[in-house]
Amino acid sequence: MVPVKETITIPEPTLKRLPRYIDILRNLQVKGEEYVSSSYIASVLDLDPIQVRKDLSITGIVGKPKLGFEVTELLQSLLNALNWNNKNEAFLVGAGSLGSALLGYKGFKEYGLEIVAAFDNDPKKIGKSINGIKILPVKKVTEMAKRMHIHLGIITAPAEAAQNIADMMIEGGIIGIWNFAPVHLKTPGNIIVENAQLSQSLAVLTHKLSKASII
């Protein structure tokens, strides 16, 4: 495998496309396919072949004439580019409906993510387990993050609690936050925040639906 150089900064639009390429490569791997072309990937995803080739160039892998890219090699390089070959342990705060759903999602392990502890303020939830993960009091987040050297936090709590939770995570040494709460978090410049706001995706979907011709 030719690893992606650590000095390379991958543009965000490319980052968002890479998981789709990985899904295709994994399916091809299951089918026993050894090679794949960028044109094939482009056709499956309805993308421009030139864009796909440009995206794949970040791996440094060169395809073979008339054969294309070696599936396993390309897959491993893309996983490496996203740091999905390494296990990232995470804390989740907010064991409501969304949080519980994320705790039950087994697919995270394919992407190198493992939720190792969950937290909530609801006395009815504390002490119980969801999909094998015990729910702990939120007040323990900071101390446990320090002790376990956790660097990734997931917030699925209500908006009014999100900022306080983020502050506790940061105090505990967490530097990456996946925020599902519908609120803008105020964090130091060295903290990485990725907002996964469902309302934004829904807004795009419903707007496009309103413009579609429905017979």
Side-chain angles (χ1 to χ4, degrees):
M1 180 188 74
V2 179
V4 178
K5 295 181 180 179
E6 293 183 2
T7 54
I8 293 178
T9 298
I10 304 175
E12 189 166 325
T14 298
L15 284 173
K16 291 180 177 180
R17 286 188 291 268
L18 295 189
R20 302 171 71 188
Y21 302 161
I22 287 171
D23 288 340
I24 290 175
L25 294 170
R26 279 177 167 156
N27 287 333
L28 291 173
Q29 199 174 46
V30 169
K31 294 177 181 178
E33 299 289 342
E34 294 184 14
Y35 292 93
V36 64
S37 67
S38 57
S39 297
Y40 173 80
I41 295 174
S43 66
V44 172
L45 298 176
D46 195 24
L47 295 173
D48 185 341
I50 296 176
Q51 181 63 67
V52 174
R53 284 195 292 273
K54 183 178 179 181
D55 290 345
L56 297 181
S57 69
I58 61 105
T59 64
I61 294 176
V62 179
K64 297 181 179 180
K66 298 183 180 181
L67 290 175
F69 297 97
E70 203 277 318
V71 169
T72 299
E73 183 182 29
L74 183 58
L75 173 58
Q76 291 304 315
S77 290
L78 292 179
L79 291 172
N80 184 56
L82 296 177
N83 197 33
W84 286 359
N85 274 325
N86 299 313
K87 185 174 73 171
N88 292 293
E89 295 184 336
F91 279 0
L92 180 144
V93 181
S97 298
L98 178 57
S100 297
L102 294 183
L103 290 173
Y105 182 56
K106 305 300 182 184
F108 281 143
K109 290 188 177 181
E110 293 185 7
Y111 309 128
L113 175 64
E114 182 178 1
I115 300 173
V116 294
F119 304 81
D120 203 280
N121 268 333
D122 188 346
K124 295 179 181 179
K125 296 175 182 176
I126 294 172
K128 295 184 177 179
S129 293
I130 299 177
N131 292 293
I133 299 176
K134 189 175 181 179
I135 308 302
L136 304 169
V138 173
K139 64 182 180 181
K140 291 189 175 183
V141 167
T142 299
E143 181 271 328
M144 287 187 62
K146 288 180 179 178
R147 176 161 51 86
M148 297 175 64
H149 305 289
I150 301 297
H151 300 300
L152 177 60
I154 304 171
I155 298 177
T156 49
E160 60 270 19
Q163 182 63 57
N164 184 52
I165 291 168
D167 292 342
M168 294 173 68
M169 287 180 168
I170 294 167
E171 186 180 349
I174 286 174
I175 59 174
I177 298 175
W178 196 8
N179 177 39
F180 285 83
V183 63
H184 174 73
L185 299 175
K186 296 180 180 179
T187 61
N190 65 316
I191 303 301
I192 304 163
V193 178
E194 177 63 25
N195 294 301
Q197 296 190 8
L198 304 181
S199 60
Q200 294 180 359
S201 293
L202 180 60
V204 173
L205 176 61
T206 54
H207 176 71
K208 289 183 177 180
L209 183 62
S210 70
K211 298 298 181 181
S213 298
I214 303 177
I215 299 177

